[in-house]
């Protein structure tokens, strides 16, 4: 889950604050980041900004799996984004930024945007 | 387009089903690019579905109309109604209208139809004698029936039985008098006619076959019938339905050639003896023969359009097969029903107890199906008729085609087999439509017109489309999504039977993976319908669609709108003021909704609890505008204030809205109640609509606004309030249990085998014996109702999620911005994410708080 480079991590919440298969929005470096927890307990971070609707909403989407891979569906028009990569599963040309994220002693920490 | 002075003019005489079909085909195929069309109709209203005339009492004239707007959507077509054509001069190519106007034509199309034949028995013109052809006829019959006790129909053919059905529906003791030794002598054989007769007598009608009417009794009006060798029948209403005669007077007056037995003689292009005069439908006699069905008429209309476009289409006879439901009895006849082919063989299945009679007529060598008769169960018609008309080889055990339970569904048809005879659609065309991108049966029907006239081939069309998809490996996949290989209705039953209460249990036992944005809300809705728990319970809230997840309607910029419930649209000034104050204090945009309530827009997610605390304190509760749930029951002001109102529509609307509030369903549900027939509440545009009558309430179901508008249709009439509630309880629960996800009631009813009749059987007649179970399920919902916004405000765990940022709960999302239009806020969209810049976390930035 961590990136290959060094990142400054910011604690945003307890992992238990995120109900499994939901997301929360966090403010990281002044930007809205969506942090998700899957059924298996993995944690992912994506930009909260939905490039289709231009609204800051991805944390409020439904989380599930497509062919076993975790994804979130935008709450505005349901486009799906893979949680691991930020890749839109309905449009190969669209991707949302992902962030480094880790859980340390039950605390979720978000790092910088991955390149 | 051609210069106007070069445009040619077509005059169509008659605006019945066939005349209308001519015009629509002419528009569709581009004939109006070069021709203006003038259509002259004698009846006061545009063309309507005469085949379904009997349903007029049930659905009214609007529902039957082919042209409810009253004009064609093509300015080059002029429709003149309430006007007859009184003269025709082929020399000058002009027709004379009854209003005195003379209209020139380049081409004239006669579509004058037929007139009922009234046998010249003494007394046939007494008041109380009617024919059965137009809506005006039916209106007159209805009026006369209001003060009558007994009615008689002279003629036991197809139309006669339709008329008998109408009298029976109007509550008259009904007699059918037929000269021939059996009913429907043209279509069915003796044994079939007997079986049909028994069915009809079983419904309480009296059938007199082999009976000759000698005289209509009465002096100033009808008092009864005198039959030869039989007792007199006392009757105040008599309907003649003893056949039809082509209306060929105009052609006769103009000196055109007529057929020996009447009708405008035309060639196979439907051209009369004058090269600029054409005749189509029942007034025409191609090769000397008249066709009294709509399908051949449609075919003739298409042939003439084709000819005028320079095509080579020809009418070379028609399949006279018929399938219909008469007084609830299936009757079908196809091909050589009377076994007139030399040396043919007959194969008969007859069950007198069940009232089923089926006969197949087979070629002498046993290889071909020539025709048949089906009474009591015509489910095999869809396969048998094309088999007979296309010459498909018979299977080795042809008896299996008519044995009980067989609908011949296993049989496959060749591509050229005609499936829809009304619109001449072959199996290959249906498959081509599926291949061409139509995604479901409804789309295929729309594209090809298959099944859109009499509807008898609908099951067959459905099967062909499903088989086609299956063969492509696309199997009309009824799976909800990749996680559940079952339909919503199947999933509903699984949840009910096992008593599941969570998504985890359900997906573990019956699904794969961890669900998605399709199955999770569907499961959430099913659980909400069955368990009636709070949608934001832990484990449950991750399933909810955004709107349900925050109990508000998400808008384009990620803010929400708030709709408090205003039952029936009735609200006190004090409560109106509270809504205004809340909107003002939170800076919300306000708009009146179509459901008679007030929508407050622009609330940030973190503001929702504060807004609702104010609303709940003032006595408001959730309006469920965010849910696939009951929304509103709209009402007009009703008898309390309105000088026309006959019932208290507001009172009933409030009762129903409070009864069904919070009910989660496959899609949103809307209701309406009107206090009189003026229908100011637009109840027939709703999933359930109630319209007051002098005696009680009429209950309509399956109405829809939206992308595919539908008028609600009558489920039951003159009900008490208790009956309305009982039927609605059953109807809504039946819908919730069996509909697909996101299927509104109109589409759901259409998808049921039997359509509205099926709903009536289940809801009103309770044929499945489900009534009390459905009512109990609704009673449980009503008893378990609570306001989910009040419950949310009382639970810190549920409230904890209403924060903008988990680590900065009161910092508004910088991506949300507003401008001002017409004095109110509107969303302002940014082209990329907006950053606040470095913010000291934990700091509180008081923005968006109530002032």
């Amino acid at each position: 889950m961590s990136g290959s480079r060094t990142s400054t991590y910011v604690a945003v919440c307890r992992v238990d604050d995120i109900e499994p298969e939901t997301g929360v929005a966090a403010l990281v470096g002044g930007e809205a980041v969506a942090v998700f927890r899957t059924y298996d307990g993995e944690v992912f971070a994506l930009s909260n900004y939905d490039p289709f609707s231009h609204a800051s909403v991805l944390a409020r989407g439904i989380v599930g799996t497509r062919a076993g891979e975790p994804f979130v569906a935008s709450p505005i028009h349901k486009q799906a984004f893979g949680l691991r990569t930020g890749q839109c599963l309905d449009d190969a040309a669209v991707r949302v930024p992902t962030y480094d994220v880790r859980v340390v002693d039950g605390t979720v920490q978000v790092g910088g945007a991955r390149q | 387009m051609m210069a106007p002075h070069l445009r040619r003019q077509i005059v169509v005489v008659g605006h019945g089903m066939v005349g209308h079909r001519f015009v629509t085909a002419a528009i569709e195929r581009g004939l109006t690019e070069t021709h203006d069309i003038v259509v002259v109709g004698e009846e006061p209203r545009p063309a309507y579905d005469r085949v379904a005339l009997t349903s007029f009492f049930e659905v009214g004239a609007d529902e039957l109309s082919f042209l409810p707007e009253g004009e064609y959507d093509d300015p080059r077509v002029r429709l003149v109604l309430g006007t007859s054509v009184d003269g025709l001069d082929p020399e000058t190519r002009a027709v004379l209208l009854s209003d005195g106007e003379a209209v020139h034509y380049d081409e004239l199309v006669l579509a004058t139809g037929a007139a009922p034949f009234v046998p010249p028995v003494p007394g046939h013109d007494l008041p109380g004698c009617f024919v059965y052809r137009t809506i005006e006829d039916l209106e007159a019959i209805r009026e006369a029936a209001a003060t009558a006790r007994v009615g008689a129909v002279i003629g036991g053919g197809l139309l006669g039985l339709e008329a008998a059905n109408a009298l029976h529906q109007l509550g008259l003791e009904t007699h059918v008098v037929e000269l021939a030794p059996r009913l429907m002598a043209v279509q069915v054989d003796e044994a079939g006619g007997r079986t049909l007769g028994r069915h009809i007598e079983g419904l309480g009608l009296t059938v007199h076959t082999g009976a000759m009417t000698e005289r209509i009794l009465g002096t100033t009006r009808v008092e009864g019938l005198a039959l030869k060798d039989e007792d007199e029948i006392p009757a105040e209403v008599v309907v003649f339905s003893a056949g039809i005669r082509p209306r060929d007077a105009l052609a006769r007056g103009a000196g055109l050639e007529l057929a020996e037995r009447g009708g405008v003689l035309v060639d196979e292009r439907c051209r009369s003896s004058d090269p600029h005069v054409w005749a189509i439908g029942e007034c025409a006699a191609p090769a000397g023969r008249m066709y009294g069905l709509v399908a051949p008429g449609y075919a003739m209309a298409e042939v003439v359009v084709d000819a005028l476009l320079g095509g080579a289409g020809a009418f070379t006879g028609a399949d006279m097969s018929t399938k219909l439901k008469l007084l609830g009895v299936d009757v079908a006849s196809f091909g050589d029903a009377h076994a007139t082919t030399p040396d043919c063989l007959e194969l008969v299945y007859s069950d007198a107890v069940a009232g089923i009679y089926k006969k197949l007529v087979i070629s002498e060598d046993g290889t071909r199906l020539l025709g048949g008769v089906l009474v009591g169960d015509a489910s095999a018609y869809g396969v048998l008729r094309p088999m007979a008309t296309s010459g498909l080889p018979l299977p080795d055990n042809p008896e299996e085609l008519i044995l009980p339970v067989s609908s011949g569904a296993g049989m496959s048809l060749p591509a050229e087999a005609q499936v829809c005879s009304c619109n001449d659609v072959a199996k290959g065309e249906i498959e081509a439509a599926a291949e061409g991108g139509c995604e479901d049966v409804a789309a295929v029907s729309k594209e090809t017109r298959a099944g859109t006239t009499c509807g008898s081939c609908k099951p067959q069309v459905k099967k062909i489309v499903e088989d086609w998809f299956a063969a492509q490996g696309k199997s009309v996949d009824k799976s909800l999504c990749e996680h559940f290989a079952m339909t919503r209705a199947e999933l509903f039953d699984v949840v009910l039977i096992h008593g599941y209460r969570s998504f985890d249990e359900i997906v573990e036992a019956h699904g794969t993976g961890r669900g998605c944005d399709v199955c999770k809300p569907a499961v959430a809705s099913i659980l909400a319908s069955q368990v009636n728990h709070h949608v934001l319970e832990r484990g449950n809230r991750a399933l909810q669609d955004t709107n349900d997840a925050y109990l508000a309607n998400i808008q384009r910029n990620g803010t929400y709108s708030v709709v408090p419930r205003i039952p029936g649209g009735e609200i006190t000034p004090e409560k109106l003021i509270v809504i205004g104050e809340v909107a003002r204090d939170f800076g919300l945009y306000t708009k009146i909704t179509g459901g008679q309530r007030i929508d407050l827009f622009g609330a940030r997610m973190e503001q929702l609890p504060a807004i609702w605390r104010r609303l709940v304190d003032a006595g408001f509760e959730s309006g469920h505008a965010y849910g696939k749930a009951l929304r509103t029951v709209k009402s007009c002001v009703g008898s309390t204030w309105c000088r026309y109102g006959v019932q208290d529509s507001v009172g009933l609307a409030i009762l129903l809205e409070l009864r069904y509030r919070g009910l989660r369903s496959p899609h949103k549900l809307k209701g309406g109640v009107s206090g009189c027939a003026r229908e100011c509440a637009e109840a027939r545009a709703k999933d359930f609509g109630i319209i007051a009558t002098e005696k009680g309430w009429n209950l309509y179901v399956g109405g829809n606004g939206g992308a595919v508008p539908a008028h609600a249709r009558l489920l039951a009439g003159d009900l008490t309030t208790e009956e309305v509630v009982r039927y609605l309880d059953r109807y809504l629960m039946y819908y919730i249990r069996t509909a697909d996800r996101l299927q509104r009631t109109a589409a759901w009813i259409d998808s049921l085998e039997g359509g509205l009749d099926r709903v009536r059987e289940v809801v009103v007649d309770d044929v499945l014996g489900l009534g009390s179970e459905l009512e109990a399920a609704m009673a449980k919902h009503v008893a378990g109702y609570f306001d989910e916004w009040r419950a949310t405000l009382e639970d810190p765990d549920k409230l904890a999620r209403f924060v903008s940022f988990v680590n900065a709960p009161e910092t508004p999302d910088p991506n949300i911005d507003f401008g001002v239009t017409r004095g109110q806020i509107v969303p302002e969209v940014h082209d990329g994410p907006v950053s606040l810049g470095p913010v000291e976390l934990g700091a509180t930035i008081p923005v968006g708080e109530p002032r």
Side-chain angles (χ1 to χ4, degrees):
Chain A
M1 244 163 286
S2 62
S4 53
R5 74 216 139 66
T6 324
S7 198
T8 312
Y9 284 91
V10 178
V12 296
C13 63
R14 305 286 303 167
V15 71
D16 291 343
D17 292 338
I18 314 177
E19 193 182 336
E21 297 189 308
T22 68
V24 296
L27 196 57
V28 180
E31 287 173 5
V33 175
V35 184
F36 300 96
R37 177 178 170 191
T38 66
Y39 185 69
D40 302 330
E42 282 189 279
V43 175
F44 299 98
L46 265 55
S47 165
N48 198 41
Y49 184 83
D50 171 7
F52 291 99
S53 65
H54 305 287
S56 177
V57 292
L58 290 185
R60 289 175 246 162
I62 288 180
V63 175
T65 58
R66 272 204 194 171
E69 279 299 298
F71 80 99
V72 63
S74 164
I76 303 285
H77 287 134
K78 307 284 182 200
Q79 291 92 353
F81 298 91
L83 293 185
R84 291 183 199 285
T85 60
Q87 177 62 48
C88 176
L89 306 179
D90 303 312
D91 184 342
V94 180
R95 200 158 176 261
V96 297
T98 55
Y99 288 75
D100 287 335
V101 60
R102 64 188 183 190
V103 180
V104 177
D105 296 335
T107 297
V108 179
Q109 302 178 343
V110 177
R114 293 173 183 161
Q115 297 306 307
Chain B
M1 194 188 285
M2 216 178 263
H5 64 278
L6 291 177
R7 290 179 62 80
R8 295 160 63 79
Q9 178 147 290
I10 300 170
V11 173
V12 180
V13 185
H15 197 237
M17 297 177 79
V18 172
H20 171 70
R21 178 57 170 263
F22 175 85
V23 177
T24 54
I27 295 171
E28 275 172 26
R29 296 189 55 189
L31 192 56
T32 49
E33 297 301 323
T34 51
H35 289 71
D36 293 323
I37 298 181
V38 179
V39 195
V40 187
E42 186 182 52
E43 291 184 57
R45 65 188 90 236
Y48 52 87
D49 188 353
R50 224 185 283 283
V51 173
L53 194 58
T54 310
S55 64
F56 164 71
F57 295 137
E58 220 169 88
V59 303
D62 287 351
E63 190 82 5
L64 293 179
S65 181
F66 286 140
L67 210 57
E69 308 78 21
E71 58 184 46
Y72 287 95
D73 190 19
D74 183 331
R76 297 160 298 195
V77 179
R78 177 160 78 103
L79 179 58
V80 182
L81 294 174
T83 306
S84 59
V85 174
D86 294 345
L88 159 61
D89 181 3
E91 288 297 311
T92 59
R93 286 200 226 151
V95 289
L96 180 66
L97 309 192
S98 56
D99 62 9
E101 186 185 350
V103 183
H104 169 77
Y105 66 82
D106 293 295
E107 304 293 339
L108 180 70
V109 179
L110 299 175
T112 46
F117 169 66
V118 177
V121 293
H124 66 84
D125 47 4
L126 282 171
C129 286
F130 301 93
V131 293
Y132 193 82
R133 174 90 185 169
T134 65
I135 286 178
E136 284 67 33
D137 293 335
L138 265 70
E139 282 172 340
I141 291 170
R142 175 164 61 186
E143 197 187 324
T147 54
R149 194 181 65 79
V150 184
V153 176
I154 299 180
L158 194 158
L159 273 176
L161 295 182
E162 291 275 0
N165 186 21
L167 296 187
H168 183 64
Q169 273 183 24
L170 289 170
L172 298 190
E173 179 191 323
T174 304
H175 294 259
V176 179
V177 180
E178 169 60 49
L179 186 58
R182 62 174 183 275
L183 295 173
M184 286 185 74
V186 176
Q187 288 87 3
V188 306
D189 60 2
E190 200 189 325
R194 250 197 332 264
T195 308
L196 179 60
R198 270 199 302 273
H199 271 292
I200 289 172
E201 300 224 300
L203 292 167
L205 286 78
T206 311
V207 176
H208 310 256
T209 49
M212 184 165 148
T213 307
E214 290 193 314
R215 207 150 50 82
I216 311 297
L217 304 171
T219 47
T220 57
R221 56 172 300 116
V222 171
E223 289 167 14
L225 296 186
L227 303 181
K228 190 176 179 194
D229 307 327
E230 273 198 54
D231 292 343
E232 288 177 0
I233 303 172
E236 299 93 351
V237 172
V238 170
V239 179
F240 286 101
S241 186
I244 54 173
R245 295 290 180 268
R247 297 184 61 190
D248 52 15
L250 203 56
R252 186 188 304 272
L256 301 182
E257 274 184 51
L258 303 181
E260 212 170 293
R261 299 174 63 187
V264 184
L265 188 66
V266 294
D267 62 15
E268 61 181 27
R269 318 292 306 278
C270 295
R271 192 189 292 241
S272 77
S273 53
D274 180 299
H276 297 287
V277 179
W278 313 73
I280 56 178
E282 290 173 336
C283 72
R289 179 175 174 191
M290 178 219 180
Y291 295 83
L293 290 178
V294 73
Y298 281 176
M300 290 182 226
E302 301 276 354
V303 163
V304 174
V305 170
D306 191 62
L308 293 174
L309 285 166
F315 180 85
T316 53
D319 175 17
M320 298 302 282
S321 302
T322 320
K323 178 190 170 210
L324 65 164
K325 213 181 185 89
L326 281 171
L327 296 141
V329 186
D330 276 339
V331 182
S333 146
F334 56 95
D336 183 11
H338 295 294
T340 56
T341 308
D343 300 322
C344 62
L345 309 170
E346 293 188 14
L347 192 63
V348 171
Y349 169 82
S350 173
D351 178 349
V353 178
I356 294 171
Y357 171 80
K358 303 183 193 179
K359 179 181 80 172
L360 297 185
V361 180
I362 293 169
S363 64
E364 187 189 4
D365 59 3
T367 62
R368 301 234 175 276
L369 180 63
L370 302 174
V373 172
L374 306 169
V375 177
D377 170 15
S379 54
Y381 176 79
V383 158
L384 295 177
R385 187 194 55 74
M387 195 184 283
T389 51
S390 313
L392 185 73
L394 267 181
D396 290 339
N397 304 311
E399 65 278 10
E400 289 190 356
L401 293 170
I402 51 170
L403 286 176
V405 194
S406 164
S407 61
M411 293 298 307
S412 78
L413 297 169
E416 63 277 14
Q418 187 196 52
V419 173
C420 172
S421 59
C422 295
N423 294 292
D424 186 20
V425 185
K427 182 186 173 193
E429 294 171 70
I430 291 168
E431 291 176 334
E435 190 169 8
C438 292
E439 283 182 353
D440 54 23
V441 180
V444 169
S445 285
K446 199 170 170 212
E447 168 94 13
T448 61
R449 287 188 175 163
T452 56
T453 302
C454 79
S456 69
C457 63
K458 269 189 187 168
Q460 191 68 12
V461 174
K462 178 163 177 257
K463 172 100 177 67
I464 290 169
V465 173
E466 287 178 358
D467 287 353
W468 189 87
F469 280 123
Q472 306 309 304
K474 288 193 197 171
S475 60
V476 198
D477 195 356
K478 297 200 179 128
S479 303
L480 209 48
C481 61
E482 68 171 73
H483 307 101
F484 288 97
M486 54 179 104
T487 63
R488 180 192 172 278
E490 288 162 346
L491 192 57
F492 191 102
D493 287 342
V494 162
V495 174
L496 189 65
I497 290 162
H498 293 272
Y500 293 128
R501 298 180 68 94
S502 77
F503 178 80
D504 290 353
E505 290 173 292
I506 299 166
V507 78
E508 249 161 59
H510 304 277
T512 55
R514 285 302 307 169
C516 64
D517 51 307
V518 172
C519 61
K520 282 185 168 174
V523 166
S525 164
I526 289 169
L527 288 172
S529 296
Q530 292 186 14
V531 182
N532 210 8
H533 51 198
H534 199 296
V535 295
L536 297 187
E537 289 307 334
R538 259 189 190 266
N540 193 23
R541 64 191 181 199
L543 311 177
Q544 307 297 339
D545 239 326
T546 331
N547 285 353
D548 275 313
Y550 292 92
L551 307 178
N553 293 51
I554 198 165
Q555 303 298 332
R556 61 185 313 146
N557 65 342
T559 62
Y560 289 85
S561 80
V562 169
V563 185
R565 185 170 297 288
I566 302 177
E570 181 183 86
I571 185 166
T572 60
E574 288 72 21
K575 281 187 150 183
L576 266 180
I577 289 167
V578 169
I579 291 180
E581 286 174 345
V582 169
R584 182 194 61 207
D585 294 350
F586 287 85
L588 305 175
Y589 169 95
T590 53
K591 191 170 189 310
I592 310 289
T593 73
Q596 301 186 330
R597 34 196 204 175
I598 301 170
D599 208 342
L600 317 176
F601 290 79
R604 299 169 196 279
M605 184 247 277
E606 66 271 22
Q607 293 178 306
L608 291 171
I611 291 170
W612 271 105
R613 203 174 296 283
R614 292 268 300 271
L615 292 170
V616 167
D617 286 348
F620 285 105
E621 60 180 3
S622 167
H624 296 94
Y626 46 79
K628 304 298 179 211
L630 177 87
R631 298 287 174 81
T632 69
V633 182
K634 185 176 174 177
S635 67
C636 69
V637 76
S639 57
T640 315
W641 288 92
C642 177
R643 63 203 164 112
Y644 300 114
V646 293
Q647 305 282 353
D648 175 16
S649 47
V650 180
L652 182 63
I654 292 173
L655 183 153
L656 295 175
E657 185 162 338
L658 294 182
R659 181 169 183 82
Y660 301 126
R661 65 187 162 179
L663 183 66
R664 292 293 199 292
S665 49
H667 210 311
K668 60 185 172 186
L669 274 173
K670 298 178 177 186
V673 183
S674 276
C676 80
R678 285 170 185 76
E679 238 287 71
C680 295
E682 296 165 334
R684 287 191 64 202
K686 307 298 182 196
D687 296 284
F688 58 91
I690 294 123
I691 301 176
T693 69
E694 297 284 347
K695 299 180 204 157
W697 306 99
N698 282 349
L699 174 57
Y700 296 81
V701 295
N704 220 160
V708 188
H711 267 131
R713 289 178 290 161
L714 187 67
L715 183 73
D718 289 332
L719 304 174
T720 63
T721 301
E722 290 69 34
E723 286 169 325
V724 166
V725 169
R726 180 160 73 239
Y727 292 162
L728 268 181
D729 282 2
R730 294 176 179 182
Y731 163 73
L732 293 174
M733 270 299 164
Y734 186 46
Y735 164 65
I736 287 170
R737 288 193 174 189
T738 60
D740 272 341
R741 81 177 252 284
L742 303 187
Q743 188 177 39
R744 294 282 305 261
T745 55
W748 167 68
I749 292 172
D750 277 349
S751 75
L752 294 173
E753 196 101 18
L756 180 65
D757 289 340
R758 183 60 183 166
V759 175
R760 194 178 290 114
E761 283 171 10
V762 173
V763 169
V764 179
D765 307 333
D766 197 14
V767 293
L768 297 181
L770 271 179
S772 52
E773 187 182 330
L774 297 173
E775 287 168 45
M778 188 63 82
K780 186 170 157 228
H781 163 79
V782 174
Y785 170 81
F786 57 90
D787 172 22
E788 53 198 23
W789 255 114
R790 176 185 288 274
T792 301
L793 294 175
E794 287 165 356
D795 182 353
D797 184 50
K798 294 189 178 72
L799 281 179
R801 293 168 62 253
F802 289 86
V803 292
S804 53
F805 295 110
V806 67
N807 56 343
E810 291 178 31
T811 304
D813 190 321
N815 289 283
I816 297 174
D817 240 331
F818 297 103
V820 172
T821 296
R822 292 186 293 276
Q824 295 204 76
I825 59 160
V826 291
E828 206 135 88
V829 177
H830 299 285
D831 226 2
V834 176
S835 175
L836 268 185
V839 174
E840 195 191 327
L841 291 181
T844 302
I845 302 171
V847 178
E849 277 296 285
R851 68 176 197 222

